[in-house]
Amino acid sequence: MLLIRKINNLLNGKKYYNYYYSQIIKKYKNIDSYTAVYNNVSQTNNIYESLTTINFSSDIEFGSNINKVKKSINSSYRFIKNPKSCDIIFYTTKVGYYKIIVELHFFRSKFVFFKYTFPSLKDKKKIEKLILKKYFNKKTPIGDQLITDNNNNYIKIENEVTFSIYYFSKNYGFYSFLKEQQDNSKMKILNKHYNSDSQLLEKI
């Protein structure tokens, strides 16, 4: 019982969130963290079409300016500038009984990506059912599939160590930026192999 209490204190205390923020900041310095999510669009065969537009709130949609989003946040937050990809706003909130860590990502000041993480969620299936109810009004399990709307916005559910929901848009230049960076990276690898083979050819 004492061990369970210590774990709960760790998950709900400042130390946990400070550690979480530092890990996430380190994670997003590498664009692979974004491409791992966006690549699901091309790698997933079954994508569910939503009956509802995917957005952050009724007045904050994808593409919203960062200053407008900041003004809408009623909690204290951390703002991290990352000129190589996305600037990020982090904060924690409580909706009913649910504690949520919120990440808001901005590419060139435009809102393109956000994520909800439930650090101490017990009934993960219940959240998935609520998502199904909102976007489909059905009871079909989502699994690893994506949800999309008519505006090229997507939802991905990740049920691993913690339960997380990713929301992301292919608009506003970020998806094109990621594709370009991936292509450049592949080209560098090919050139490296070619130069290595050329150098060896001169020696043998």
Side-chain angles (χ1 to χ4, degrees), residues 162-173:
T162 55
F163 187 90
S164 299
I165 310 171
Y166 296 83
Y167 302 78
F168 55 102
S169 176
K170 286 178 68 178
N171 305 323
Y172 312 105

Side-chain angles (χ1 to χ4, degrees), residues 173-185:
F174 188 48
Y175 181 70
S176 300
F177 167 79
L178 292 177
K179 295 291 289 180
E180 183 180 341
Q181 294 299 310
Q182 277 188 302
D183 291 342
N184 290 341
S185 180

Side-chain angles (χ1 to χ4, degrees), residues 67-93:
N67 292 325
K68 179 182 178 181
V69 178
K70 282 181 177 179
K71 290 176 183 177
S72 73
I73 300 172
N74 296 320
S75 307
S76 59
Y77 61 83
R78 298 187 182 191
F79 176 60
I80 306 297
K81 288 191 72 66
N82 184 11
K84 291 185 177 180
S85 57
C86 288
D87 296 332
I88 311 170
I89 293 173
F90 300 100
Y91 65 94
T92 59
T93 188

Side-chain angles (χ1 to χ4, degrees), residues 4 7 66 107 159:
I4 294 173
I7 292 171
I66 190 169
F107 179 68
N159 187 0

